[in-house]
Amino acid sequence: MSLISMREARKNQAMNGPFTPALIKSVNHTLLEGHQAILFQNRRGFSPTVECTTCGWTPKCPRCDVSLTFHKRTSRLSCHYCGYSQSWPSACPQCQHSSFAQQGYGTERIEETISRLMPLAKPVRMDTDTTGSKSSYEKIIRDFDSKKSNVLIGTQMVSKGLDFGGVDTVGIMNADSLMNFPDFRSHERAFQLIEQVAGRAGRRAGQEGEVLIQCNEPRHPLLQQVIAHDYEAMAEMQLADRKKYFYPPFSRLIMIYMKGRYEDRLDALAARYATVLRKAFGDRILGPEAPGIARIKNLYIRQIMLKIEREASTQMVRQYLNTIQNTMMQDDHEFSKIVFYYDVDPM
């Protein structure tokens, strides 16, 4: 396993799209030897973001707080949360210019880029856009297993359960995107996912595989633990942080979600609800706050996190939460317009 610095490659102006020279060289060598490669990119579509080159305007979903992803095969911009889609904009609604840049790389764009950079490549893509039916999924697996294709590009679908003897090289396109996620489990999940993807290489008896991990911070402790396969060091570091900040496994979590159509009204009600909860639970309550995606299908979302001791009865806590909710609904009919739901021990 090797860590390849994208920052260094960019500084030397050596990046070719999302590829470092080292990854291009390794995959080309693998294909020249008659073997296969897997490339992991945790974003589907062609470009995750489209941007006006004049004023920077970005098309966003009218129902969710996310930018629209461009899918070249359908020539449409789509929301991956609610399914909304629209055609390519003819002009920017802010400045009226018609020049747009495609920012970032999804699996579809990587598939197209490979065909240009690697003459021997016969790429195939595995993501939710290409595996809509059982037969299409099985065809991708069958074609790759019979070597009709020799480069498999995919999202998390390629991380486990696949056993191909011809795969010598695995490339992870951007490890930083797996770690830099606002969740206390993100480093553990990144370690797990990278290890799982890496395990697709070198599955023939007596044959070592090569795994190249493209990243911006090769010295990051988690990445050093990954290439050393040092699960214990990762676990010790994560457990120390979780103990310090009272996260599982040292506590249990209950996530309280509130959804409403009007943002200002939801903010006020969520703040009042959290104030009442703090009287009972004190500093075990965090929030309310907007999650990473703060609106889906025209409903605004606020979340409150409750940390409780492991020995506490979650059934009694939930009964108490329901009592508070029902009381507030009786006292203020505005609360009856809010959707509440609870997630105990969320994964």
Side-chain angles (χ1 to χ4, degrees):
M1 297 180 79
S2 306
L3 297 173
I4 312 299
S5 173
M6 293 191 292
R7 178 178 292 176
E8 195 67 27
R10 278 193 293 268
K11 190 165 68 175
N12 297 329
Q13 297 184 333
M15 290 290 291
N16 203 323
F19 291 93
T20 57
L23 184 55
I24 295 172
K25 181 180 178 181
S26 178
V27 173
N28 273 326
H29 177 74
T30 294
L31 302 182
L32 192 63
E33 293 287 312
H35 302 308
Q36 295 170 295
I38 291 178
L39 298 177
F40 171 74
Q41 169 71 339
N42 210 25
R43 278 183 175 272
R44 61 188 174 101
F46 193 83
S47 298
T49 308
V50 172
E51 188 178 88
C52 173
T53 57
T54 303
C55 70
W57 173 81
T58 296
K60 293 188 174 181
C61 176
R63 300 188 293 227
C64 310
D65 280 341
V66 293
S67 58
L68 297 175
T69 299
F70 176 57
H71 291 256
K72 192 171 183 178
R73 184 177 59 86
T74 58
S75 295
R76 295 188 69 80
L77 298 163
S78 301
C79 172
H80 290 171
Y81 286 85
C82 73
Y84 169 86
S85 72
Q86 68 177 54
S87 57
W88 186 269
S90 57
C92 172
Q94 288 191 175
C95 68
Q96 308 309 315
H97 282 78
S98 57
S99 175
F100 295 93
Q102 297 163 5
Q103 306 289 349
Y105 285 79
T107 49
E108 190 180 11
R109 193 174 187 183
I110 287 173
E111 181 183 24
E112 182 180 279
T113 307
I114 282 176
S115 301
R116 175 171 53 84
L117 294 177
M118 304 170 189
L120 296 176
K122 294 177 285 186
V124 63
R125 179 162 47 96
M126 182 188 286
D127 54 32
T128 52
D129 294 327
T130 61
T131 56
S133 65
K134 184 180 178 182
S135 60
S136 59
Y137 176 82
E138 290 176 347
K139 184 178 186 307
I140 292 169
I141 298 291
R142 196 165 53 246
D143 286 352
F144 195 69
D145 197 32
S146 64
K147 298 194 175 180
K148 287 183 181 178
S149 52
N150 56 11
V151 181
L152 178 63
I153 306 135
T155 53
Q156 290 191 36
M157 297 178 79
V158 303
S159 65
K160 51 189 172 183
L162 302 181
D163 186 7
F164 299 115
V167 176
D168 276 6
T169 300
V170 165
I172 294 167
M173 303 302 298
N174 186 353
D176 304 86
S177 66
L178 303 176
M179 300 186 297
N180 300 333
F181 196 76
D183 188 296
F184 72 92
R185 305 177 189 85
S186 61
H187 282 192
E188 177 191 5
R189 286 173 169 171
F191 183 98
Q192 180 187 47
L193 192 52
I194 294 171
E195 284 281 10
Q196 286 175 339
V197 176
R200 302 312 101 202
R203 298 178 74 86
R204 281 199 315 276
Q207 177 69 36
E208 279 196 339
E210 183 180 26
V211 181
L212 291 91
I213 304 169
Q214 294 191 154
C215 57
N216 289 306
E217 297 287 348
R219 295 181 183 178
H220 193 288
L222 185 79
L223 295 178
Q224 294 295 322
Q225 292 157 3
V226 166
I227 61 171
H229 303 289
D230 196 344
Y231 171 81
E232 289 187 0
M234 182 277 293
E236 287 173 6
M237 181 178 287
Q238 297 306 308
L239 286 169
D241 277 349
R242 294 187 194 185
K243 186 175 184 179
K244 181 178 179 181
Y245 297 108
F246 196 48
Y247 276 105
F250 303 98
S251 67
R252 300 185 70 180
L253 298 185
I254 298 179
M255 297 299 297
I256 304 162
Y257 294 96
M258 302 173 68
K259 291 184 175 183
R261 291 200 172 276
Y262 304 102
E263 186 174 20
D264 292 346
R265 186 182 300 171
L266 179 65
D267 280 334
L269 295 175
R272 283 175 55 192
Y273 185 55
T275 299
V276 174
L277 292 179
R278 281 194 179 88
K279 291 178 182 177
F281 296 105
D283 60 5
R284 296 178 185 85
I285 293 291
L286 296 177
E289 64 177 2
I293 308 298
R295 181 171 60 111
I296 296 178
K297 296 182 180 178
N298 280 331
L299 288 177
Y300 292 93
I301 307 168
R302 295 297 179 265
Q303 64 183 24
I304 297 170
M305 179 187 291
L306 170 58
K307 301 178 186 178
I308 59 174
E309 287 74 13
R310 291 200 59 80
E311 59 273 14
S313 167
T314 53
Q315 184 177 356
M316 290 182 64
V317 172
R318 286 192 71 168
Q319 288 175 353
Y320 187 70
L321 290 173
N322 283 324
T323 300
I324 293 174
Q325 178 188 332
N326 292 333
T327 301
M328 298 191 80
M329 282 181 173
Q330 292 170 6
D331 294 344
D332 186 345
H333 73 280
E334 290 292 335
F335 273 95
S336 63
K337 300 175 184 177
I338 300 297
V339 177
F340 284 83
Y341 66 97
Y342 304 92
D343 191 354
V344 180
D345 294 328
M347 289 301 295

